[in-house]
Amino acid sequence: MNIDDKRLEEERIFNERADRLIAEEEDGLTHEERKKIIRENRINAIKQWCAENPGRDPARAKDKTIKQLALDEKAVVRREEFRKNNPEKVAEIRKRTRNERRYRDNRATYEEQLPRDYLHKDSYETRLKKAEALNGCRFKTRTFKSKRFTDEYAAELESPDSGSTLEGHWVRTDGQQLAISWFGGWSNLFTILGFGCTSLALLVFGFHILALIMDGFEYFWVMASIYVMLFGLGVFTLKHRAILSHRDKFYFNRHTGLVKTPHTLFRKPFYLPYEDIVCYGANELNVGSARGGSRVFVSLMVPLKYPKHYRFTKPTFYVGGFNREWDSLQYATAMTFMDTSIPLGTHLYQSIEHYFKIDKDITEKHAFPEELKPYLDPDDCQVNRHEVW
């Protein structure tokens, strides 16, 4: 969210509060009493329409007024059910809202401009040389052509708040680095190994039962030990597969302007400027997964430059795995994240707060970035600034 959008949001909140106070002074009713009266009138109008049109759904009425009233009532019912079924989440949301209001009331802290010297300001050529130094060799430039992946995603995020749930999918950030998962790699290999071991253990267990029925207890300890060993190995592998998940991600570093590619099974990662990363979607509804298994929608992250020591194949990476909209949104979020001329979007705040709370960076191998700590409240672990750079 840019500066103008934030100001508009603050003006909207201020106008809503002003209108509420004016209405309370005019009719002497509180906000809750007025909402109750409005809802009663809405329900009465819907009931009257239903009595005149039995068997019909008011949410599909041709009368736009009745249709809107029915949709508003359904939204209220959904909110009530959510509050009833998720009391802990509702309490957390209310706490966050109260904290945000308290932060805005402290204008001196909320609007304070902090130094931003840690953000990348180097030119593309300078960052390219830094990447070559980190890689230990110069780059090769490639052209990408594919009959399947032809839909190049846009690099700009039109509406940052539209990605409010990205943190729960593939995009995570600590404010310094943003991660996009590779659809493959070590963690997937461990997942396959874990499922294979547990499935084989169940198969051995079946033979174990068959042996007990046919031959008594002659092979009991042999079969039991094999079953326990395989099942234990499978469960351990599935439980600890996330240990290597940090190796299977793109890391977009807002402080250096460089991108670190994932580890592949046989190659080390390399660095390159973020301008040299493009993302393509397939021109088919479904494509094969990275390892030839189930067919899901995936996109392709393509480095336009790669180290010269990649002699045999040009690196490409499958990402996403959900749908075209999410894949394009995560790529656009990463590109917007690397643009240091605008603050971080509010849709990334919860992810930043998560890593601040556990005092870890995006890889969970190091401490939370010191440069970002002044932007968060140490007690509530929430972003308490107007602009998080």
Side-chain angles (χ1 to χ4, degrees):
M1 181 180 288
N2 57 35
I3 297 174
D4 293 336
D5 290 339
K6 288 189 174 182
R7 287 175 178 169
L8 290 173
E9 179 65 16
E10 288 190 344
E11 290 179 2
R12 183 188 67 79
I13 295 173
F14 176 80
N15 292 333
E16 286 182 356
R17 291 181 179 177
D19 294 340
R20 184 183 302 177
L21 291 174
I22 292 172
E24 289 178 359
E25 290 178 356
E26 289 179 350
D27 55 21
L29 299 174
T30 64
H31 180 62
E32 288 73 17
E33 291 173 342
R34 191 178 301 103
K35 286 178 63 177
K36 183 177 180 180
I37 294 173
I38 292 173
R39 186 178 184 187
E40 289 176 353
N41 294 335
R42 179 170 63 237
I43 292 174
N44 291 333
I46 294 173
K47 287 182 177 179
Q48 182 179 353
W49 185 88
C50 291
E52 297 173 356
N53 302 270
R56 294 183 60 187
D57 184 3
R60 297 183 177 181
K62 293 183 179 180
D63 188 336
K64 293 183 179 180
T65 303
I66 294 296
K67 182 178 180 180
Q68 188 60 50
L69 290 175
L71 293 175
D72 292 342
E73 182 60 24
K74 284 187 175 182
V76 171
V77 171
R78 283 197 301 270
R79 286 196 295 270
E80 289 178 347
E81 291 179 351
F82 178 81
R83 294 190 186 102
K84 181 180 179 181
N85 299 328
N86 304 276
E88 295 181 356
K89 290 184 178 180
V90 171
E92 180 65 24
I93 292 171
R94 288 175 177 171
K95 179 183 176 182
R96 291 183 61 85
T97 303
R98 287 195 301 268
N99 289 337
E100 290 171 358
R101 291 174 181 172
R102 180 164 57 86
Y103 301 149
R104 284 194 292 268
D105 292 338
N106 186 2
R107 308 302 294 183
T109 301
Y110 187 65
E111 296 184 351
E112 181 182 5
Q113 296 292 322
L114 297 177
R116 303 189 297 272
D117 298 335
Y118 49 84
L119 298 178
H120 72 84
K121 302 180 181 64
D122 295 331
S123 65
Y124 169 79
E125 290 74 16
T126 302
R127 287 183 282 116
L128 188 65
K129 291 180 180 179
K130 287 183 178 180
E132 289 177 343
L134 290 171
N135 298 332
C137 68
R138 299 181 65 83
F139 279 110
K140 286 183 179 180
T141 302
R142 66 178 295 185
T143 56
F144 177 75
K145 292 183 179 180
S146 172
K147 294 181 179 180
R148 174 174 289 178
F149 294 92
T150 58
D151 181 15
E152 183 176 354
Y153 295 146
E156 295 182 359
L157 191 64
E158 296 181 358
S159 177
D161 285 335
S162 65
S164 58
T165 58
L166 278 175
E167 302 83 22
H169 293 76
W170 301 279
V171 175
R172 304 284 291 181
T173 179
D174 58 9
Q176 177 182 0
Q177 297 185 89
L178 180 143
I180 293 180
S181 297
W182 173 34
F183 196 76
W186 289 96
S187 57
N188 272 18
L189 181 64
F190 269 52
T191 302
I192 295 171
L193 180 62
F195 275 115
C197 288
T198 52
S199 301
L200 186 60
L202 294 176
L203 183 62
V204 172
F205 178 72
F207 281 109
H208 183 196
I209 298 299
L210 186 61
L212 288 176
I213 295 173
M214 297 179 64
D215 300 323
F217 290 88
E218 183 178 355
Y219 302 103
F220 177 79
W221 293 111
V222 175
M223 301 295 288
S225 60
I226 294 174
Y227 164 70
V228 171
M229 181 183 66
L230 287 174
F231 189 79
L233 178 62
V235 171
F236 178 84
T237 305
L238 289 173
K239 183 177 180 180
H240 296 280
R241 69 185 187 276
I243 293 176
L244 296 177
S245 64
H246 68 280
R247 302 169 65 92
D248 298 333
K249 293 181 174 65
F250 283 91
Y251 289 106
F252 293 78
N253 195 316
R254 186 173 168 87
H255 294 187
T256 64
L258 300 178
V259 181
K260 182 181 178 182
T261 63
H263 289 72
T264 64
L265 296 179
F266 305 105
R267 285 175 174 160
K268 295 181 179 180
F270 62 93
Y271 297 84
L272 75 164
Y274 74 93
E275 293 92 339
D276 289 322
I277 288 280
V278 294
C279 192
Y280 289 88
N283 52 10
E284 300 176 7
L285 181 61
N286 293 307
V287 296
S289 67
R291 303 199 174 280
S294 60
R295 297 178 65 84
V296 297
F297 183 90
V298 293
S299 299
L300 203 63
M301 196 78 82
V302 181
L304 298 180
K305 286 185 170 60
Y306 61 97
K308 283 189 174 181
H309 58 71
Y310 277 40
R311 294 183 176 86
F312 299 106
T313 59
K314 300 176 181 179
T316 54
F317 302 87
Y318 289 94
V319 295
F322 189 65
N323 60 44
R324 185 186 304 271
E325 181 181 359
W326 278 110
D327 293 355
S328 61
L329 189 57
Q330 69 173 353
Y331 173 70
T333 301
M335 295 293 104
T336 307
F337 176 82
M338 297 297 284
D339 187 352
T340 58
S341 64
I342 59 175
L344 297 182
T346 56
H347 58 297
L348 300 177
Y349 284 4
Q350 290 190 27
S351 180
I352 296 173
E353 292 162 359
H354 164 73
Y355 288 105
F356 178 72
K357 187 177 296 185
I358 64 175
D359 194 23
K360 298 289 185 181
D361 69 346
I362 190 73
T363 64
E364 299 191 12
K365 300 297 180 181
H366 308 285
F368 187 81
E370 290 291 333
E371 298 87 350
L372 270 295
K373 288 184 178 179
Y375 294 97
L376 295 106
D377 186 278
D379 298 323
D380 301 319
C381 297
Q382 286 183 222
V383 173
N384 61 355
R385 300 280 177 172
H386 176 60
E387 295 172 352
V388 178
W389 294 93

PDB file of all heavy atoms in Angstrom, residues 150-163:
ATOM      1  N   THR A 150       3.683 -19.657 -21.790  1.00  0.00           N
ATOM      2  CA  THR A 150       3.701 -18.468 -22.650  1.00  0.00           C
ATOM      3  C   THR A 150       3.108 -17.234 -21.986  1.00  0.00           C
ATOM      4  O   THR A 150       3.237 -16.131 -22.501  1.00  0.00           O
ATOM      5  CB  THR A 150       2.911 -18.746 -23.944  1.00  0.00           C
ATOM      6  OG1 THR A 150       1.572 -19.126 -23.601  1.00  0.00           O
ATOM      7  CG2 THR A 150       3.561 -19.871 -24.743  1.00  0.00           C
ATOM      8  N   ASP A 151       2.436 -17.411 -20.825  1.00  0.00           N
ATOM      9  CA  ASP A 151       1.759 -16.296 -20.170  1.00  0.00           C
ATOM     10  C   ASP A 151       2.706 -15.644 -19.168  1.00  0.00           C
ATOM     11  O   ASP A 151       2.881 -16.114 -18.050  1.00  0.00           O
ATOM     12  CB  ASP A 151       0.499 -16.807 -19.459  1.00  0.00           C
ATOM     13  CG  ASP A 151      -0.274 -15.692 -18.777  1.00  0.00           C
ATOM     14  OD1 ASP A 151      -0.004 -14.510 -19.088  1.00  0.00           O
ATOM     15  OD2 ASP A 151      -1.143 -15.993 -17.947  1.00  0.00           O
ATOM     16  N   GLU A 152       3.356 -14.541 -19.565  1.00  0.00           N
ATOM     17  CA  GLU A 152       4.287 -13.855 -18.672  1.00  0.00           C
ATOM     18  C   GLU A 152       3.507 -12.992 -17.688  1.00  0.00           C
ATOM     19  O   GLU A 152       2.697 -12.147 -18.080  1.00  0.00           O
ATOM     20  CB  GLU A 152       5.272 -12.992 -19.459  1.00  0.00           C
ATOM     21  CG  GLU A 152       6.307 -12.310 -18.582  1.00  0.00           C
ATOM     22  CD  GLU A 152       7.338 -11.530 -19.394  1.00  0.00           C
ATOM     23  OE1 GLU A 152       7.302 -11.623 -20.638  1.00  0.00           O
ATOM     24  OE2 GLU A 152       8.170 -10.835 -18.772  1.00  0.00           O
ATOM     25  N   TYR A 153       3.771 -13.185 -16.397  1.00  0.00           N
ATOM     26  CA  TYR A 153       3.043 -12.450 -15.368  1.00  0.00           C
ATOM     27  C   TYR A 153       3.558 -11.028 -15.236  1.00  0.00           C
ATOM     28  O   TYR A 153       4.748 -10.765 -15.429  1.00  0.00           O
ATOM     29  CB  TYR A 153       3.174 -13.150 -14.013  1.00  0.00           C
ATOM     30  CG  TYR A 153       2.534 -14.509 -13.958  1.00  0.00           C
ATOM     31  CD1 TYR A 153       3.087 -15.526 -13.189  1.00  0.00           C
ATOM     32  CD2 TYR A 153       1.386 -14.803 -14.685  1.00  0.00           C
ATOM     33  CE1 TYR A 153       2.512 -16.778 -13.127  1.00  0.00           C
ATOM     34  CE2 TYR A 153       0.799 -16.055 -14.633  1.00  0.00           C
ATOM     35  CZ  TYR A 153       1.361 -17.034 -13.858  1.00  0.00           C
ATOM     36  OH  TYR A 153       0.787 -18.271 -13.819  1.00  0.00           O
ATOM     37  N   ALA A 154       2.661 -10.115 -14.868  1.00  0.00           N
ATOM     38  CA  ALA A 154       3.041  -8.723 -14.660  1.00  0.00           C
ATOM     39  C   ALA A 154       3.858  -8.604 -13.383  1.00  0.00           C
ATOM     40  O   ALA A 154       3.677  -9.350 -12.428  1.00  0.00           O
ATOM     41  CB  ALA A 154       1.797  -7.839 -14.578  1.00  0.00           C
ATOM     42  N   ALA A 155       4.768  -7.623 -13.367  1.00  0.00           N
ATOM     43  CA  ALA A 155       5.666  -7.445 -12.227  1.00  0.00           C
ATOM     44  C   ALA A 155       5.146  -6.448 -11.216  1.00  0.00           C
ATOM     45  O   ALA A 155       5.753  -6.256 -10.170  1.00  0.00           O
ATOM     46  CB  ALA A 155       7.044  -6.991 -12.709  1.00  0.00           C
ATOM     47  N   GLU A 156       4.009  -5.787 -11.479  1.00  0.00           N
ATOM     48  CA  GLU A 156       3.467  -4.785 -10.568  1.00  0.00           C
ATOM     49  C   GLU A 156       2.217  -5.312  -9.899  1.00  0.00           C
ATOM     50  O   GLU A 156       1.383  -5.966 -10.526  1.00  0.00           O
ATOM     51  CB  GLU A 156       3.144  -3.492 -11.327  1.00  0.00           C
ATOM     52  CG  GLU A 156       4.373  -2.805 -11.905  1.00  0.00           C
ATOM     53  CD  GLU A 156       4.014  -1.512 -12.596  1.00  0.00           C
ATOM     54  OE1 GLU A 156       2.811  -1.185 -12.626  1.00  0.00           O
ATOM     55  OE2 GLU A 156       4.924  -0.836 -13.097  1.00  0.00           O
ATOM     56  N   LEU A 157       2.105  -4.999  -8.618  1.00  0.00           N
ATOM     57  CA  LEU A 157       0.951  -5.408  -7.831  1.00  0.00           C
ATOM     58  C   LEU A 157      -0.045  -4.262  -7.817  1.00  0.00           C
ATOM     59  O   LEU A 157       0.202  -3.218  -7.227  1.00  0.00           O
ATOM     60  CB  LEU A 157       1.393  -5.763  -6.408  1.00  0.00           C
ATOM     61  CG  LEU A 157       0.371  -6.455  -5.519  1.00  0.00           C
ATOM     62  CD1 LEU A 157       0.017  -7.819  -6.094  1.00  0.00           C
ATOM     63  CD2 LEU A 157       0.916  -6.627  -4.116  1.00  0.00           C
ATOM     64  N   GLU A 158      -1.186  -4.435  -8.485  1.00  0.00           N
ATOM     65  CA  GLU A 158      -2.141  -3.348  -8.617  1.00  0.00           C
ATOM     66  C   GLU A 158      -2.795  -3.003  -7.288  1.00  0.00           C
ATOM     67  O   GLU A 158      -2.986  -1.846  -6.953  1.00  0.00           O
ATOM     68  CB  GLU A 158      -3.207  -3.721  -9.661  1.00  0.00           C
ATOM     69  CG  GLU A 158      -2.642  -3.892 -11.063  1.00  0.00           C
ATOM     70  CD  GLU A 158      -3.723  -4.245 -12.061  1.00  0.00           C
ATOM     71  OE1 GLU A 158      -4.884  -4.377 -11.633  1.00  0.00           O
ATOM     72  OE2 GLU A 158      -3.406  -4.397 -13.248  1.00  0.00           O
ATOM     73  N   SER A 159      -3.173  -4.011  -6.524  1.00  0.00           N
ATOM     74  CA  SER A 159      -3.865  -3.780  -5.259  1.00  0.00           C
ATOM     75  C   SER A 159      -3.196  -4.609  -4.171  1.00  0.00           C
ATOM     76  O   SER A 159      -3.484  -5.787  -4.026  1.00  0.00           O
ATOM     77  CB  SER A 159      -5.349  -4.159  -5.369  1.00  0.00           C
ATOM     78  OG  SER A 159      -5.992  -3.991  -4.139  1.00  0.00           O
ATOM     79  N   PRO A 160      -2.256  -4.019  -3.414  1.00  0.00           N
ATOM     80  CA  PRO A 160      -1.511  -4.805  -2.420  1.00  0.00           C
ATOM     81  C   PRO A 160      -2.389  -5.525  -1.419  1.00  0.00           C
ATOM     82  O   PRO A 160      -2.090  -6.639  -1.016  1.00  0.00           O
ATOM     83  CB  PRO A 160      -0.647  -3.736  -1.733  1.00  0.00           C
ATOM     84  CG  PRO A 160      -0.528  -2.634  -2.724  1.00  0.00           C
ATOM     85  CD  PRO A 160      -1.820  -2.626  -3.480  1.00  0.00           C
ATOM     86  N   ASP A 161      -3.502  -4.918  -1.001  1.00  0.00           N
ATOM     87  CA  ASP A 161      -4.335  -5.547   0.012  1.00  0.00           C
ATOM     88  C   ASP A 161      -5.066  -6.778  -0.510  1.00  0.00           C
ATOM     89  O   ASP A 161      -5.641  -7.531   0.267  1.00  0.00           O
ATOM     90  CB  ASP A 161      -5.364  -4.550   0.553  1.00  0.00           C
ATOM     91  CG  ASP A 161      -4.700  -3.552   1.506  1.00  0.00           C
ATOM     92  OD1 ASP A 161      -3.663  -3.902   2.083  1.00  0.00           O
ATOM     93  OD2 ASP A 161      -5.211  -2.441   1.650  1.00  0.00           O
ATOM     94  N   SER A 162      -5.076  -6.979  -1.832  1.00  0.00           N
ATOM     95  CA  SER A 162      -5.755  -8.151  -2.376  1.00  0.00           C
ATOM     96  C   SER A 162      -5.021  -9.434  -2.027  1.00  0.00           C
ATOM     97  O   SER A 162      -5.575 -10.510  -2.159  1.00  0.00           O
ATOM     98  CB  SER A 162      -5.874  -8.036  -3.897  1.00  0.00           C
ATOM     99  OG  SER A 162      -4.590  -8.068  -4.496  1.00  0.00           O
ATOM    100  N   GLY A 163      -3.786  -9.313  -1.569  1.00  0.00           N
ATOM    101  CA  GLY A 163      -3.027 -10.500  -1.193  1.00  0.00           C
ATOM    102  C   GLY A 163      -2.998 -10.719   0.302  1.00  0.00           C
ATOM    103  O   GLY A 163      -2.002 -11.165   0.837  1.00  0.00           O
TER     104      GLY A 163
END
